Amino acid sequence: MSDIPLFKVTIDNISIEVPAGTTVLNAARMIGGEVAPPAMCYYSKLEGSGGKCRTCLVEVSKGSEKDPRPMPKLVASCRTTVMDGMEVKNITSAKVVDARASIVEFLLLNHPLDCPICDQAGECHLQDLSYEHGKEGTRYEFQRRTFKKHDLGKYIQLHMTRCILCYRCVFTADQLTKKRAHGILDRGDHSEIATFIEKNLDSDFIGNVIDVCPVGALTDKTFRFKNRVWFLKPMDAHRDCPTCSGKVTLWNRGDEVFRVTARKDQWGEVEDWICNDCRFEKKKTSDWVIEGPRLIDRHSVIAQGHYAGTVGMHKPTETFSAVHHGRQPKLLMDIHSVSEVNQADIDLSIIAGPAHSNNFNSNKD
Amino acid sequence: MAKATQLNTMGRKLLLEKADVEGIRFYDVYRREGGYRSVEKALKTMSPEEIVEEVKKSGLRGRGGAGFPAGMKWSFIAKPEGVPRHLVCNADESEPGTFKDRYLMEFIPHLLIEGLIVASYALGSHATYIYIRGEYAWIPEILEQAIAEAKANGFLGKNILGTGFDCEIYVQRGAGAYICGEETALIESLEGKRGNPRIKPPFPAIKGAWGRPTVVNNVETLAAVVPIINEGGDEYAKIGVGKSTGTKLISACGNINKPGVYEIDMTISVEEFIFSDEYCGGIANGKRLKACIPGGSSVPILPANLLLKTAKGETRYMNYESLSDGGFATGSMMGSGGFIVLDEDQCVVRNTYSLARFYRHESCGQCSPCREGTGWMEKLLLRLEKGEGKISDIDLLWDIQSKIEGNTICPLGDAASWPVAAAIRHFRDEFEWHVTHAAEAQKRNYGLAHYADPIHVPA
């Protein structure tokens, strides 16, 4: 290891020495904080990933000590390796900030923005990215693109409209499973993730595509519409699993295990891949040895609900009649007349506390 | 001036010299006309390094569009011990308006095979590939026949001409995707994968097909190696002007009297090329020239006035430097030599829309700016073309193209942006007219307007 020379790289005026071969993005992550460019497609644990989404574009204002010329174009920091003496501008470059805002606009152009009904909401990288780097409105005045639905089997739910084509799930299937059954079909703005012939995704480790998906395109069917992630309590847990490390995060509410995911680090990347058995089949607390609460970044919406009950939950007062001079709200449509998601005798708006799985009709598929 | 050049160099042809000879498609005639001399000369009397040196001296620039010096590209190829190297011929000619490679392969296939053998020897490629556009369905047969003939006569296979050099040429058909003309996408496709461009670096010269050092060259570039070896790099460099050496094939199309493939030596003016009977023979049906895309659909479109004269008021010539004189503000590019002429009856908005539609359809969809931006531009342009657009759409288009350009993995993003940018830059009036006179724009075209008026050159 000591044979690898150290290169000095300066990112946003902060210098750091990193081993040769490190990418600009990873060097920036070592510095941390806002210096680290956002990455939607790069995944350090997936070989060959990165370079596609263009959100991590940075400006190289000095190539290296030997060749100080700046690079003519913005470069993808996840696929550019550092040179000795390189100087990089991320948030200190107006060009980068501008380009990043436009990339966010491009990524959201055809995105349905259905966050209110998306299971990924609250842990969606695209959501974070648009809050941090996007603009308020859209300039797109055309119909957003839609796709023919594909069924990927009983474990994984695909919402192609939300997909940003990061290719992470393709790399995951290639590198973790014996045989990849899905891929990108077609090209350009109509390219889509699908199995060429309707096929179930069910190989041992395929569930990990859910964890690597930065958006809500691939979600856990066994958790679908069951709960909001910020109402759940993430706990580190493990079990003696013959297939994988068995180290997971359980997402609980009371004693009920709502879902099981791999443990994710501060960059949203999994620490250990987990197998389908752990993820989809072990939904009882007794299946697991609980280690303790999972540390969640306090800025994350997932951290917000954790004091509920201990600090005291304050029920907000009804504001409608107050702002409408005493007029009472009018019922325009009874949701039960169009939807059978929840049971007919339950109105989600008036139950005490967040919805629970028994408030919904059981999954009919 | 134009006449004088015509006298000196007119008719100097290197590639198409024998194109009209009866039966040149076949080995016997090709050989009788002096074919395969360069293979004999190169393999028997020259070292690979000498060939690369000769190509460097010739100043030959890549004929596929980018114009990168070919000899330089060859000298970049890595030569790690024990790793095979490959030469790949890019015959995925898909740029709208460009059909020069097709002409070469269809009528003088042996010229390409000859160039390929010499280049393979220079680069040390024992397995050389021709990656041909899927739509050119009838050409692989022609090439394979030529390869078989060359092999039967000892110019391919084991121990060529007794020199100990082995080389095989394989023809690989694409499946019909413009993006596979991009060299790394071509390599992916050649490997049997989805034709997505790779992220560079590493460049193919270091890690190309199957991770091996690879050089990808255009058909015309490789064919040009033949006269370079036969006559010597210095002789070749004497033809042409400045850094535009040798001859260039131009595929002329659009509203001209004589569309076709022409070989020029890069000293004639654009005006002469369009109007002389030797070449395009003037605008068809007695119409007037409105605009031209001089180097294939991706390069900036120019109005008639800026096409014939540069912004400095000088005559514009058919060569790399002169066509790009003035940068993108007032110039264009030589590109791949797809010369598309538009007469006064053509609508620039419609033309730009149809190009945008092409790029939307051909984007691989790998990186976000190109995948999303090309579709957005197409929709806006269609709206403008149908008279349903707004003035702000024009500025929006400008903004979108500027956000795509330079931010993508491969040059397709740039190729999609440039035509839109140039159309708005030079024909903004016409775009605005489509908004302000929306109903009229559905019935008639904007016409020539002031696009051919002489440009005011500040003294």
Side-chain angles (χ1 to χ4, degrees):
Chain A
M1 280 305 276
S2 56
D3 296 349
I4 302 172
L6 288 180
F7 282 174
K8 187 186 158 198
V9 56
T10 307
I11 307 169
D12 285 343
N13 302 318
I14 303 171
S15 296
I16 186 173
E17 287 203 330
V18 297
T22 310
T23 59
V24 173
L25 183 91
N26 280 330
R29 282 184 175 183
M30 289 176 198
I31 297 172
E34 286 204 312
V35 173
M40 300 295 289
C41 66
Y42 171 75
Y43 209 80
S44 64
K45 288 161 188 79
L46 296 173
E47 200 190 325
S49 68
K52 301 183 198 300
C53 69
R54 318 305 280 175
T55 50
C56 71
L57 289 177
V58 292
E59 183 183 344
V60 176
S61 49
K62 181 181 169 190
S64 69
E65 210 55 67
K66 270 188 213 140
D67 182 4
R69 285 176 304 168
M71 291 190 184
K73 292 178 184 178
L74 302 181
V75 298
S77 58
C78 63
R79 293 292 292 256
T80 310
T81 46
V82 295
M83 303 297 279
D84 199 23
M86 186 186 256
E87 282 173 23
V88 178
K89 287 178 173 176
N90 179 24
I91 46 172
T92 51
S93 159
K95 258 203 290 189
V96 169
V97 173
D98 196 34
R100 195 162 292 155
S102 65
I103 301 295
V104 177
E105 183 174 30
F106 284 134
L107 286 177
L108 291 177
L109 217 54
N110 278 295
H111 191 82
L113 287 174
D114 54 349
C115 313
I117 55 147
C118 176
D119 278 328
Q120 188 85 359
E123 50 179 16
C124 172
H125 290 234
L126 187 59
Q127 221 173 14
D128 297 343
L129 185 78
S130 20
Y131 273 112
E132 281 157 29
H133 304 281
K135 299 206 173 77
E136 252 176 49
T138 178
R139 299 183 288 174
Y140 191 68
E141 297 172 325
F142 303 94
Q143 196 132 44
R144 285 163 197 244
R145 121 185 118 222
T146 52
F147 295 89
K148 188 176 151 267
K149 279 207 173 89
H150 286 279
D151 187 3
L152 300 185
K154 62 175 180 173
Y155 292 138
I156 299 164
Q157 179 70 37
L158 169 69
H159 281 276
M160 193 50 220
T161 49
R162 298 173 185 156
C163 178
I164 59 161
L165 289 163
C166 68
Y167 284 66
R168 279 181 186 175
C169 60
V170 179
F171 288 112
T172 307
D174 267 339
Q175 292 167 31
L176 257 57
T177 65
K178 286 193 193 78
K179 197 169 187 297
R180 172 155 66 84
H182 80 290
I184 312 280
L185 301 188
D186 248 316
R187 68 177 175 224
D189 58 358
H190 43 287
S191 49
E192 60 175 324
I193 291 174
T195 52
F196 186 62
I197 302 160
E198 293 289 307
K199 230 177 154 176
N200 293 344
L201 295 191
D202 50 12
S203 62
D204 265 0
F205 278 83
I206 197 68
N208 288 294
V209 298
I210 297 166
D211 281 341
V212 300
C213 183
V215 294
L218 296 167
T219 50
D220 185 340
K221 223 176 206 173
T222 63
F223 174 61
R224 197 164 186 235
F225 299 144
K226 289 270 172 69
N227 221 311
R228 283 311 201 175
V229 287
W230 55 86
F231 293 137
L232 302 177
K233 286 185 185 139
M235 312 275 257
D236 278 351
H238 65 266
R239 67 181 269 267
D240 192 14
C241 176
T243 335
C244 69
S245 72
K247 289 180 186 162
V248 301
T249 302
L250 297 185
W251 298 76
N252 278 23
R253 208 178 127 79
D255 277 341
E256 188 177 354
V257 177
F258 272 81
R259 66 165 181 169
V260 182
T261 67
R263 298 179 187 175
K264 293 187 184 178
D265 64 14
Q266 60 164 322
W267 308 112
E269 296 187 4
V270 306
E271 289 169 2
D272 278 305
W273 305 110
I274 60 167
C275 67
N276 283 5
D277 208 30
C278 286
R279 185 188 300 273
F280 299 118
E281 309 294 350
K282 304 291 169 197
K283 295 282 181 84
K284 283 201 294 269
T285 320
S286 57
D287 293 332
W288 298 95
V289 180
I290 309 276
E291 294 167 20
R294 174 92 192 149
L295 201 64
I296 298 286
D297 178 13
R298 69 185 174 88
H299 299 292
S300 164
V301 65
I302 298 172
Q304 68 89 40
H306 291 184
Y307 297 104
T310 50
V311 180
M313 204 158 75
H314 172 69
K315 192 174 187 249
T317 50
E318 192 60 61
T319 52
F320 187 91
S321 59
V323 299
H324 280 87
H325 310 290
R327 188 156 62 82
Q328 288 303 311
K330 192 164 68 179
L331 187 68
L332 292 175
M333 184 189 76
D334 182 3
I335 188 72
H336 300 300
S337 65
V338 292
S339 164
E340 289 173 0
V341 169
N342 46 312
Q343 290 157 26
D345 55 334
I346 290 177
D347 280 318
L348 290 182
S349 59
I350 53 171
I351 56 169
H356 208 267
S357 60
N358 12 345
N359 299 133
F360 298 99
N361 281 329
S362 55
N363 232 344
K364 280 176 287 186
D365 263 334
Chain B
M1 170 75 187
K3 280 273 172 269
T5 16
Q6 192 172 0
L7 284 177
N8 290 337
T9 55
M10 186 46 56
R12 187 72 175 107
K13 286 182 179 172
L14 297 173
L15 303 179
L16 302 187
E17 197 183 359
K18 303 277 167 61
D20 295 331
V21 176
E22 178 84 29
I24 195 77
R25 211 190 105 176
F26 303 103
Y27 176 83
D28 292 338
V29 178
Y30 183 76
R31 180 76 174 141
R32 192 187 69 216
E33 294 290 330
Y36 290 101
R37 270 184 300 140
S38 71
V39 176
E40 291 170 316
K41 181 175 175 186
L43 268 61
K44 287 183 174 165
T45 68
M46 296 168 84
S47 71
E49 291 74 29
E50 283 170 334
I51 297 171
V52 174
E53 205 44 49
E54 218 49 49
V55 174
K56 270 189 181 171
K57 267 196 276 179
S58 75
L60 174 67
R61 294 170 67 167
R63 301 295 197 226
F68 191 81
M72 191 116 76
K73 193 173 191 174
W74 288 12
S75 64
F76 289 155
I77 192 166
K79 293 179 176 167
E81 202 55 46
V83 181
R85 301 186 285 276
H86 294 290
L87 169 67
V88 179
C89 169
N90 184 347
D92 191 78
E93 179 178 57
S94 319
E95 182 92 349
T98 312
F99 44 90
K100 61 182 177 66
D101 295 341
R102 166 186 154 186
Y103 188 91
L104 270 180
M105 293 186 288
E106 220 179 323
F107 298 105
I108 341 172
H110 280 286
L111 185 67
L112 172 63
I113 305 300
E114 183 176 354
L116 275 169
I117 299 167
V118 175
S120 300
Y121 174 67
L123 294 163
S125 163
H126 302 295
T128 294
Y129 297 87
I130 302 174
Y131 183 93
I132 186 161
R133 172 179 188 193
E135 288 90 334
Y136 286 174
W138 65 99
I139 301 183
E141 234 171 85
I142 300 174
L143 291 172
E144 267 162 1
Q145 188 184 6
I147 291 167
E149 285 178 333
K151 203 167 176 176
N153 288 282
F155 284 100
L156 274 173
K158 292 258 174 242
N159 192 15
I160 297 170
L161 302 179
T163 58
F165 176 65
D166 305 335
C167 183
E168 293 286 352
I169 298 177
Y170 305 98
V171 181
Q172 171 70 35
R173 269 183 78 186
Y178 174 69
I179 191 60
C180 290
E182 197 276 341
E183 60 177 5
T184 55
L186 185 152
I187 290 171
E188 286 278 301
S189 175
L190 184 66
E191 287 180 10
K193 301 179 193 153
R194 181 185 162 88
N196 276 1
R198 293 178 180 172
I199 292 135
K200 287 167 280 185
F203 288 93
I206 312 293
K207 259 182 138 178
W210 302 282
R212 301 163 182 169
T214 305
V215 165
V216 183
N217 275 141
N218 174 258
V219 171
E220 189 190 345
T221 316
L222 290 162
V225 171
V226 175
I228 290 172
I229 296 304
N230 281 339
E231 307 195 9
D234 288 327
E235 280 304 306
Y236 186 86
K238 281 181 193 160
I239 307 166
V241 57
K243 283 184 178 166
S244 303
T245 58
T247 61
K248 172 90 186 85
L249 296 184
I250 303 286
S251 56
C253 59
N255 308 113
I256 46 175
N257 280 318
K258 288 167 61 190
V261 176
Y262 298 99
E263 183 168 8
I264 59 160
D265 64 7
M266 304 207 254
T267 57
I268 62 164
S269 69
V270 177
E271 186 165 10
E272 187 193 340
F273 183 71
I274 296 179
F275 293 100
S276 83
D277 284 334
E278 176 106 12
Y279 300 107
C280 302
I283 308 298
N285 306 320
K287 300 278 182 184
R288 291 172 297 172
L289 170 70
K290 177 177 180 180
C292 173
I293 305 171
S297 65
S298 329
V299 311
I301 186 172
L302 285 178
N305 46 17
L306 278 172
L307 175 72
L308 305 179
K309 294 247 191 287
T310 67
K312 288 174 255 165
E314 293 159 359
T315 306
R316 204 183 279 282
Y317 290 94
M318 295 288 289
N319 61 48
Y320 289 93
E321 286 78 25
S322 187
L323 281 173
S324 59
D325 187 288
F328 276 7
T330 59
S332 184
M333 274 170 85
M334 176 66 123
S336 58
F339 195 84
I340 309 167
V341 179
L342 281 67
D343 73 17
E344 56 187 309
D345 288 343
Q346 306 308 314
C347 171
V348 171
V349 179
R350 182 161 191 85
N351 176 66
T352 313
Y353 158 68
S354 94
L355 291 182
R357 184 165 151 251
F358 172 78
Y359 289 109
R360 195 269 299 152
H361 186 251
E362 296 295 344
S363 165
C364 79
Q366 195 183 191
C367 63
S368 8
C370 177
R371 177 181 67 238
E372 305 294 346
T374 50
W376 196 4
M377 291 201 298
E378 185 208 345
K379 290 188 180 78
L380 284 168
L381 281 161
L382 179 62
R383 187 156 91 176
L384 283 164
E385 162 62 15
K386 280 169 33 190
E388 293 159 8
K390 301 181 277 192
I391 289 287
S392 63
D393 288 352
I394 305 170
D395 297 315
L396 182 56
L397 272 173
W398 183 267
D399 192 52
I400 300 169
Q401 67 79 19
S402 73
K403 295 291 164 46
I404 301 174
E405 192 202 345
N407 289 340
T408 53
I409 294 175
C410 82
L412 193 139
D414 300 343
S417 305
W418 293 342
V420 175
I424 296 176
R425 189 183 294 120
H426 300 301
F427 297 89
R428 201 182 169 104
D429 316 31
E430 190 164 343
F431 280 85
E432 286 174 358
W433 183 76
H434 270 250
V435 179
T436 55
H437 297 71
E440 200 182 343
Q442 299 311 300
K443 287 189 217 104
R444 72 171 187 93
N445 279 329
Y446 190 59
L448 186 62
H450 58 277
Y451 295 130
D453 295 354
I455 287 175
H456 172 69
V457 183

